[in-house]
Amino acid sequence: QVPLVESGGGLVQPGNSLRLSCTSTRFSFDDVAIGWFRQAPGKEREEVSCLSSTDGSKYYADSVKGRFTISRDRRKNTLYLQMNGLKPDDTAVYYCTADVVDYCHGSDSPNYWGQGTQVTVSS
């Protein structure tokens, strides 16, 4: 079980940027697959991004490609999601996710989820 804590959500206007952060006090993010999901009211849960633990490759949903960037700071053991050019459709609760096995390739879902942080994009 991996404790996960997200931060950085908030209310922003369309076109602005926001950076989400996720930390773990128990496991190193070097040793687990990590990423982000989001859930908006009335919509299906969507995998936003994933950072593979096997080859370091990064995955992005088509809806965020070119606008969002996933990264990690190994020394701080922190996962980031840089979100640029935010749109109203990006409004959702964003969850940091992790698993000891690599879920970035294939249809597997991560076993561990944070509590979520709200992102609202509105004018």
Side-chain angles (χ1 to χ4, degrees), residues 18 20 35-39 43 46-50 58-70 80-92 94 119 121:
L18 203 61
L20 306 183
W36 299 89
F37 279 73
R38 67 185 181 186
Q39 178 73 63
K43 297 182 179 180
E46 179 182 24
E47 185 175 15
V48 176
S49 186
C50 194
K58 299 175 181 179
Y59 164 85
Y60 298 97
D62 288 341
S63 58
V64 306
K65 284 182 179 178
R67 299 188 297 119
F68 290 10
T69 303
I70 189 171
Y80 300 103
L81 184 67
Q82 178 67 44
M83 305 184 294
N84 298 328
L86 284 163
K87 305 174 181 179
D89 284 347
D90 294 320
T91 296
Y94 284 71
V119 173
V121 185

Tab-separated table of all heavy atoms in Angstrom, residues 18 20 35-39 43 46-50 58-70 80-92 94 119 121:
chain	number	residue	atom	x	y	z
A	18	LEU	N	-1.708	25.474	-14.364
A	18	LEU	CA	-1.736	24.977	-12.996
A	18	LEU	C	-0.784	23.792	-12.912
A	18	LEU	O	-0.655	23.039	-13.880
A	18	LEU	CB	-3.152	24.555	-12.620
A	18	LEU	CG	-3.568	24.507	-11.147
A	18	LEU	CD1	-3.459	25.884	-10.511
A	18	LEU	CD2	-4.994	23.985	-11.033
A	20	LEU	N	-0.004	20.412	-10.568
A	20	LEU	CA	-0.365	19.516	-9.489
A	20	LEU	C	0.869	18.773	-8.991
A	20	LEU	O	1.779	18.481	-9.766
A	20	LEU	CB	-1.418	18.503	-9.946
A	20	LEU	CG	-2.694	19.069	-10.575
A	20	LEU	CD1	-3.651	17.923	-10.910
A	20	LEU	CD2	-3.357	20.082	-9.656
A	35	GLY	N	1.066	8.085	-11.968
A	35	GLY	CA	0.359	8.867	-12.964
A	35	GLY	C	-0.827	9.597	-12.384
A	35	GLY	O	-0.948	9.781	-11.167
A	36	TRP	N	-1.704	10.034	-13.290
A	36	TRP	CA	-2.860	10.836	-12.920
A	36	TRP	C	-4.104	10.354	-13.646
A	36	TRP	O	-4.079	10.075	-14.855
A	36	TRP	CB	-2.627	12.315	-13.260
A	36	TRP	CG	-1.474	12.929	-12.539
A	36	TRP	CD1	-0.178	12.965	-12.939
A	36	TRP	CD2	-1.535	13.610	-11.277
A	36	TRP	NE1	0.591	13.627	-12.003
A	36	TRP	CE2	-0.216	14.032	-10.978
A	36	TRP	CE3	-2.557	13.904	-10.383
A	36	TRP	CZ2	0.093	14.738	-9.814
A	36	TRP	CZ3	-2.247	14.596	-9.224
A	36	TRP	CH2	-0.934	15.006	-8.956
A	37	PHE	N	-5.210	10.252	-12.904
A	37	PHE	CA	-6.547	10.064	-13.437
A	37	PHE	C	-7.379	11.281	-13.077
A	37	PHE	O	-7.026	12.047	-12.173
A	37	PHE	CB	-7.210	8.814	-12.855
A	37	PHE	CG	-6.799	7.516	-13.498
A	37	PHE	CD1	-5.548	6.978	-13.269
A	37	PHE	CD2	-7.678	6.824	-14.313
A	37	PHE	CE1	-5.165	5.781	-13.845
A	37	PHE	CE2	-7.317	5.620	-14.895
A	37	PHE	CZ	-6.056	5.101	-14.664
A	38	ARG	N	-8.509	11.454	-13.773
A	38	ARG	CA	-9.436	12.508	-13.394
A	38	ARG	C	-10.871	12.021	-13.520
A	38	ARG	O	-11.181	11.141	-14.312
A	38	ARG	CB	-9.227	13.783	-14.221
A	38	ARG	CG	-9.560	13.670	-15.701
A	38	ARG	CD	-9.184	14.966	-16.415
A	38	ARG	NE	-9.505	14.926	-17.835
A	38	ARG	CZ	-9.176	15.881	-18.705
A	38	ARG	NH1	-8.503	16.961	-18.288
A	38	ARG	NH2	-9.516	15.763	-19.982
A	39	GLN	N	-11.748	12.622	-12.707
A	39	GLN	CA	-13.155	12.272	-12.693
A	39	GLN	C	-13.987	13.550	-12.648
A	39	GLN	O	-13.857	14.332	-11.711
A	39	GLN	CB	-13.485	11.398	-11.480
A	39	GLN	CG	-14.951	11.023	-11.369
A	39	GLN	CD	-15.355	10.000	-12.395
A	39	GLN	OE1	-14.857	8.866	-12.394
A	39	GLN	NE2	-16.255	10.374	-13.290
A	43	LYS	N	-19.269	12.170	-16.103
A	43	LYS	CA	-18.359	11.646	-17.106
A	43	LYS	C	-17.629	10.413	-16.589
A	43	LYS	O	-17.522	10.202	-15.384
A	43	LYS	CB	-17.332	12.704	-17.517
A	43	LYS	CG	-17.922	13.943	-18.173
A	43	LYS	CD	-16.826	14.911	-18.602
A	43	LYS	CE	-17.404	16.136	-19.274
A	43	LYS	NZ	-16.329	17.080	-19.693
A	46	GLU	N	-11.197	9.049	-16.429
A	46	GLU	CA	-10.278	9.148	-17.544
A	46	GLU	C	-8.836	9.095	-17.057
A	46	GLU	O	-8.459	9.810	-16.125
A	46	GLU	CB	-10.507	10.452	-18.318
A	46	GLU	CG	-9.573	10.651	-19.501
A	46	GLU	CD	-9.795	11.966	-20.218
A	46	GLU	OE1	-10.322	12.903	-19.586
A	46	GLU	OE2	-9.448	12.063	-21.408
A	47	GLU	N	-8.036	8.259	-17.700
A	47	GLU	CA	-6.606	8.258	-17.420
A	47	GLU	C	-5.976	9.431	-18.155
A	47	GLU	O	-6.022	9.498	-19.380
A	47	GLU	CB	-5.953	6.945	-17.842
A	47	GLU	CG	-4.484	6.863	-17.459
A	47	GLU	CD	-3.848	5.521	-17.767
A	47	GLU	OE1	-4.436	4.739	-18.532
A	47	GLU	OE2	-2.756	5.243	-17.234
A	48	VAL	N	-5.363	10.327	-17.404
A	48	VAL	CA	-4.788	11.540	-17.969
A	48	VAL	C	-3.361	11.312	-18.430
A	48	VAL	O	-2.974	11.702	-19.542
A	48	VAL	CB	-4.832	12.692	-16.942
A	48	VAL	CG1	-4.141	13.933	-17.495
A	48	VAL	CG2	-6.271	13.003	-16.562
A	49	SER	N	-2.561	10.685	-17.572
A	49	SER	CA	-1.149	10.510	-17.873
A	49	SER	C	-0.569	9.402	-17.016
A	49	SER	O	-1.076	9.111	-15.933
A	49	SER	CB	-0.381	11.820	-17.631
A	49	SER	OG	0.965	11.710	-18.049
A	50	CYS	N	0.518	8.792	-17.497
A	50	CYS	CA	1.177	7.718	-16.772
A	50	CYS	C	2.665	7.738	-17.068
A	50	CYS	O	3.068	7.977	-18.211
A	50	CYS	CB	0.569	6.368	-17.161
A	50	CYS	SG	1.006	5.005	-16.061
A	58	LYS	N	6.308	7.958	-21.168
A	58	LYS	CA	5.183	8.739	-20.673
A	58	LYS	C	3.992	8.610	-21.600
A	58	LYS	O	4.130	8.647	-22.820
A	58	LYS	CB	5.594	10.203	-20.532
A	58	LYS	CG	6.737	10.429	-19.550
A	58	LYS	CD	7.191	11.877	-19.541
A	58	LYS	CE	8.342	12.078	-18.574
A	58	LYS	NZ	8.814	13.493	-18.575
A	59	TYR	N	2.828	8.464	-21.000
A	59	TYR	CA	1.579	8.337	-21.735
A	59	TYR	C	0.685	9.530	-21.437
A	59	TYR	O	0.605	9.992	-20.296
A	59	TYR	CB	0.851	7.041	-21.340
A	59	TYR	CG	-0.598	7.012	-21.755
A	59	TYR	CD1	-0.960	6.611	-23.038
A	59	TYR	CD2	-1.592	7.396	-20.870
A	59	TYR	CE1	-2.284	6.599	-23.429
A	59	TYR	CE2	-2.925	7.386	-21.253
A	59	TYR	CZ	-3.266	6.991	-22.533
A	59	TYR	OH	-4.587	6.975	-22.917
A	60	TYR	N	-0.025	10.004	-22.467
A	60	TYR	CA	-0.989	11.089	-22.302
A	60	TYR	C	-2.273	10.755	-23.029
A	60	TYR	O	-2.252	10.206	-24.134
A	60	TYR	CB	-0.443	12.408	-22.852
A	60	TYR	CG	0.798	12.908	-22.164
A	60	TYR	CD1	2.058	12.661	-22.689
A	60	TYR	CD2	0.704	13.638	-20.985
A	60	TYR	CE1	3.194	13.123	-22.055
A	60	TYR	CE2	1.835	14.106	-20.342
A	60	TYR	CZ	3.080	13.848	-20.882
A	60	TYR	OH	4.206	14.316	-20.248
A	61	ALA	N	-3.385	11.098	-22.407
A	61	ALA	CA	-4.661	10.999	-23.088
A	61	ALA	C	-4.689	11.969	-24.265
A	61	ALA	O	-4.085	13.047	-24.213
A	61	ALA	CB	-5.802	11.312	-22.124
A	62	ASP	N	-5.394	11.589	-25.327
A	62	ASP	CA	-5.473	12.452	-26.502
A	62	ASP	C	-6.006	13.838	-26.162
A	62	ASP	O	-5.612	14.836	-26.775
A	62	ASP	CB	-6.356	11.814	-27.572
A	62	ASP	CG	-5.707	10.616	-28.236
A	62	ASP	OD1	-4.470	10.476	-28.142
A	62	ASP	OD2	-6.432	9.818	-28.856
A	63	SER	N	-6.884	13.910	-25.173
A	63	SER	CA	-7.514	15.167	-24.818
A	63	SER	C	-6.557	16.173	-24.186
A	63	SER	O	-6.869	17.364	-24.128
A	63	SER	CB	-8.688	14.917	-23.866
A	63	SER	OG	-8.269	14.236	-22.700
A	64	VAL	N	-5.382	15.710	-23.719
A	64	VAL	CA	-4.451	16.611	-23.046
A	64	VAL	C	-3.089	16.672	-23.719
A	64	VAL	O	-2.226	17.451	-23.282
A	64	VAL	CB	-4.269	16.231	-21.559
A	64	VAL	CG1	-5.618	16.167	-20.858
A	64	VAL	CG2	-3.517	14.911	-21.422
A	65	LYS	N	-2.870	15.895	-24.760
A	65	LYS	CA	-1.578	15.900	-25.447
A	65	LYS	C	-1.228	17.299	-25.942
A	65	LYS	O	-2.057	18.003	-26.511
A	65	LYS	CB	-1.593	14.928	-26.619
A	65	LYS	CG	-1.478	13.473	-26.227
A	65	LYS	CD	-1.458	12.571	-27.452
A	65	LYS	CE	-1.329	11.109	-27.059
A	65	LYS	NZ	-1.363	10.208	-28.243
A	66	GLY	N	0.014	17.689	-25.707
A	66	GLY	CA	0.477	19.005	-26.113
A	66	GLY	C	0.219	20.086	-25.097
A	66	GLY	O	0.756	21.191	-25.223
A	67	ARG	N	-0.601	19.802	-24.100
A	67	ARG	CA	-0.922	20.787	-23.069
A	67	ARG	C	-0.443	20.383	-21.684
A	67	ARG	O	-0.055	21.238	-20.889
A	67	ARG	CB	-2.429	21.038	-23.015
A	67	ARG	CG	-3.014	21.582	-24.311
A	67	ARG	CD	-4.474	21.989	-24.131
A	67	ARG	NE	-5.331	20.847	-23.781
A	67	ARG	CZ	-6.033	20.744	-22.662
A	67	ARG	NH1	-5.994	21.714	-21.748
A	67	ARG	NH2	-6.789	19.670	-22.439
A	68	PHE	N	-0.475	19.087	-21.378
A	68	PHE	CA	-0.086	18.586	-20.058
A	68	PHE	C	1.264	17.883	-20.142
A	68	PHE	O	1.587	17.242	-21.155
A	68	PHE	CB	-1.117	17.593	-19.519
A	68	PHE	CG	-2.442	18.197	-19.125
A	68	PHE	CD1	-2.775	19.505	-19.438
A	68	PHE	CD2	-3.367	17.428	-18.433
A	68	PHE	CE1	-3.993	20.048	-19.081
A	68	PHE	CE2	-4.589	17.956	-18.063
A	68	PHE	CZ	-4.904	19.262	-18.384
A	69	THR	N	2.040	17.970	-19.062
A	69	THR	CA	3.333	17.305	-18.984
A	69	THR	C	3.487	16.628	-17.631
A	69	THR	O	3.335	17.278	-16.592
A	69	THR	CB	4.493	18.293	-19.183
A	69	THR	OG1	4.356	18.960	-20.442
A	69	THR	CG2	5.832	17.559	-19.154
A	70	ILE	N	3.799	15.328	-17.641
A	70	ILE	CA	4.050	14.599	-16.404
A	70	ILE	C	5.553	14.537	-16.168
A	70	ILE	O	6.335	14.372	-17.104
A	70	ILE	CB	3.432	13.184	-16.447
A	70	ILE	CG1	3.496	12.517	-15.073
A	70	ILE	CG2	4.104	12.318	-17.508
A	70	ILE	CD1	2.711	11.206	-14.986
A	80	TYR	N	4.699	15.419	-10.618
A	80	TYR	CA	4.050	16.649	-11.047
A	80	TYR	C	3.193	16.414	-12.282
A	80	TYR	O	3.464	15.527	-13.096
A	80	TYR	CB	5.074	17.731	-11.384
A	80	TYR	CG	5.979	18.118	-10.249
A	80	TYR	CD1	7.293	17.656	-10.197
A	80	TYR	CD2	5.532	18.951	-9.232
A	80	TYR	CE1	8.135	18.019	-9.164
A	80	TYR	CE2	6.366	19.314	-8.191
A	80	TYR	CZ	7.664	18.852	-8.160
A	80	TYR	OH	8.496	19.210	-7.127
A	81	LEU	N	2.165	17.234	-12.410
A	81	LEU	CA	1.416	17.334	-13.646
A	81	LEU	C	1.293	18.818	-13.977
A	81	LEU	O	0.533	19.537	-13.327
A	81	LEU	CB	0.029	16.695	-13.538
A	81	LEU	CG	-0.788	16.687	-14.834
A	81	LEU	CD1	-0.132	15.761	-15.864
A	81	LEU	CD2	-2.232	16.259	-14.576
A	82	GLN	N	2.065	19.265	-14.960
A	82	GLN	CA	1.991	20.639	-15.419
A	82	GLN	C	0.874	20.742	-16.444
A	82	GLN	O	0.899	20.046	-17.462
A	82	GLN	CB	3.317	21.081	-16.037
A	82	GLN	CG	3.316	22.506	-16.582
A	82	GLN	CD	3.185	23.546	-15.500
A	82	GLN	OE1	3.830	23.449	-14.458
A	82	GLN	NE2	2.339	24.541	-15.719
A	83	MET	N	-0.099	21.597	-16.187
A	83	MET	CA	-1.268	21.735	-17.040
A	83	MET	C	-1.294	23.144	-17.616
A	83	MET	O	-1.468	24.115	-16.884
A	83	MET	CB	-2.547	21.448	-16.254
A	83	MET	CG	-2.552	20.084	-15.574
A	83	MET	SD	-4.111	19.711	-14.731
A	83	MET	CE	-4.068	20.955	-13.433
A	84	ASN	N	-1.112	23.237	-18.926
A	84	ASN	CA	-1.130	24.517	-19.620
A	84	ASN	C	-2.344	24.604	-20.537
A	84	ASN	O	-2.908	23.589	-20.936
A	84	ASN	CB	0.147	24.705	-20.448
A	84	ASN	CG	1.395	24.733	-19.608
A	84	ASN	OD1	1.384	25.188	-18.464
A	84	ASN	ND2	2.500	24.257	-20.170
A	85	GLY	N	-2.718	25.821	-20.883
A	85	GLY	CA	-3.847	26.020	-21.779
A	85	GLY	C	-5.115	25.348	-21.295
A	85	GLY	O	-5.810	24.692	-22.072
A	86	LEU	N	-5.421	25.510	-20.024
A	86	LEU	CA	-6.560	24.811	-19.423
A	86	LEU	C	-7.882	25.232	-20.058
A	86	LEU	O	-8.081	26.403	-20.400
A	86	LEU	CB	-6.589	25.049	-17.923
A	86	LEU	CG	-5.544	24.248	-17.142
A	86	LEU	CD1	-5.356	24.826	-15.744
A	86	LEU	CD2	-5.962	22.783	-17.065
A	87	LYS	N	-8.762	24.253	-20.203
A	87	LYS	CA	-10.077	24.440	-20.789
A	87	LYS	C	-11.155	24.080	-19.776
A	87	LYS	O	-10.894	23.322	-18.843
A	87	LYS	CB	-10.231	23.553	-22.027
A	87	LYS	CG	-9.156	23.727	-23.080
A	87	LYS	CD	-9.327	22.703	-24.194
A	87	LYS	CE	-8.259	22.843	-25.248
A	87	LYS	NZ	-8.412	21.835	-26.329
A	88	PRO	N	-12.371	24.602	-19.941
A	88	PRO	CA	-13.454	24.222	-19.028
A	88	PRO	C	-13.659	22.710	-18.941
A	88	PRO	O	-14.004	22.200	-17.877
A	88	PRO	CB	-14.681	24.921	-19.626
A	88	PRO	CG	-14.118	26.137	-20.275
A	88	PRO	CD	-12.794	25.690	-20.852
A	89	ASP	N	-13.422	21.988	-20.040
A	89	ASP	CA	-13.585	20.536	-20.037
A	89	ASP	C	-12.541	19.824	-19.189
A	89	ASP	O	-12.671	18.630	-18.923
A	89	ASP	CB	-13.538	19.986	-21.465
A	89	ASP	CG	-14.811	20.235	-22.237
A	89	ASP	OD1	-15.820	20.614	-21.627
A	89	ASP	OD2	-14.798	20.036	-23.473
A	90	ASP	N	-11.500	20.534	-18.758
A	90	ASP	CA	-10.499	19.954	-17.868
A	90	ASP	C	-10.967	19.942	-16.420
A	90	ASP	O	-10.294	19.371	-15.557
A	90	ASP	CB	-9.179	20.716	-17.963
A	90	ASP	CG	-8.515	20.590	-19.320
A	90	ASP	OD1	-8.531	19.485	-19.896
A	90	ASP	OD2	-7.970	21.607	-19.804
A	91	THR	N	-12.087	20.579	-16.138
A	91	THR	CA	-12.617	20.613	-14.777
A	91	THR	C	-12.921	19.203	-14.290
A	91	THR	O	-13.664	18.457	-14.928
A	91	THR	CB	-13.884	21.469	-14.713
A	91	THR	OG1	-13.569	22.826	-15.044
A	91	THR	CG2	-14.497	21.433	-13.319
A	92	ALA	N	-12.324	18.829	-13.165
A	92	ALA	CA	-12.482	17.481	-12.628
A	92	ALA	C	-11.734	17.382	-11.310
A	92	ALA	O	-10.962	18.273	-10.947
A	92	ALA	CB	-11.934	16.438	-13.608
A	94	TYR	N	-8.755	15.495	-9.752
A	94	TYR	CA	-7.564	14.822	-10.261
A	94	TYR	C	-6.956	13.954	-9.171
A	94	TYR	O	-6.753	14.403	-8.040
A	94	TYR	CB	-6.543	15.848	-10.751
A	94	TYR	CG	-6.907	16.453	-12.084
A	94	TYR	CD1	-7.976	17.335	-12.190
A	94	TYR	CD2	-6.201	16.129	-13.243
A	94	TYR	CE1	-8.338	17.875	-13.421
A	94	TYR	CE2	-6.548	16.665	-14.467
A	94	TYR	CZ	-7.622	17.543	-14.545
A	94	TYR	OH	-7.964	18.075	-15.767
A	119	VAL	N	-9.796	20.588	-9.579
A	119	VAL	CA	-9.380	21.586	-10.563
A	119	VAL	C	-10.630	22.113	-11.244
A	119	VAL	O	-11.397	21.342	-11.827
A	119	VAL	CB	-8.413	20.996	-11.606
A	119	VAL	CG1	-8.138	22.007	-12.718
A	119	VAL	CG2	-7.116	20.565	-10.941
A	121	VAL	N	-11.930	25.013	-14.020
A	121	VAL	CA	-11.543	25.969	-15.047
A	121	VAL	C	-12.800	26.705	-15.493
A	121	VAL	O	-13.678	26.128	-16.132
A	121	VAL	CB	-10.874	25.277	-16.240
A	121	VAL	CG1	-10.375	26.318	-17.236
A	121	VAL	CG2	-9.728	24.394	-15.769
